[in-house]
Amino acid sequence: QVRIEESGGGLVQAGGSLRLSCAVSGSQINAMGWYRQAPGEQREFVAGIMRSASTHYADSVKGRFTISRDNAKHTAYLQMNNLKPEDTAVYYCNYRRPFTPVTWSTPSGYWGQGTQVTVSS
């Protein structure tokens, strides 16, 4: 059974930083990513990292957010710098099923419970 545990959300002022963590257990190493959902909005892709460690980012976070992974811990991280009020959302960790194609614009796979990130102006 796949289990996903997220941590690291919180309240921060604009320009500040936060780091989110996502630990996966019960399955092998595969692509992982982060999505977010603001109130009244659809869930949107933020960042993804493949097994090979190649990374992908939404245009809105390029240059500010960095996704990384520690395969030994089966954990992915999202370092968020220079946060803006429009980054406020619930952030969800996403773990992709092994041996399935990964298209970041199409959410699929397993999800964490979500962690709130609030950026005040």
Side-chain angles (χ1 to χ4, degrees):
Q1 181 179 357
V2 176
R3 293 188 61 184
I4 299 176
E5 293 190 29
E6 301 173 7
S7 61
L11 172 64
V12 65
Q13 289 188 331
S17 298
L18 285 173
R19 190 175 85 150
L20 306 183
S21 299
C22 173
V24 177
S25 60
S27 187
Q28 63 186 21
I29 295 169
N30 203 42
M32 297 175 68
W34 292 91
Y35 289 73
R36 66 187 180 187
Q37 188 167 17
E41 302 289 334
Q42 289 190 332
R43 191 170 297 190
E44 65 173 3
F45 170 71
V46 176
I49 186 165
M50 305 297 285
R51 255 184 97 167
S52 64
S54 65
T55 57
H56 306 263
Y57 296 95
D59 288 344
S60 59
V61 306
K62 281 181 182 176
R64 300 188 298 122
F65 291 12
T66 302
I67 189 169
S68 61
R69 65 188 303 158
D70 183 336
N71 286 341
K73 296 181 179 179
H74 210 169
T75 298
Y77 306 94
L78 185 67
Q79 178 66 42
M80 304 184 293
N81 298 328
N82 191 22
L83 282 160
K84 303 176 181 180
E86 51 264 43
D87 295 317
T88 296
V90 177
Y91 283 69
Y92 295 91
C93 179
N94 174 241
Y95 169 73
R96 294 304 178 105
R97 292 182 176 88
F99 312 112
T100 59
V102 176
T103 304
W104 293 116
S105 60
T106 304
S108 68
Y110 301 92
W111 298 92
Q113 78 281 4
T115 185
Q116 178 70 46
V117 171
T118 303
V119 184
S120 63
S121 57

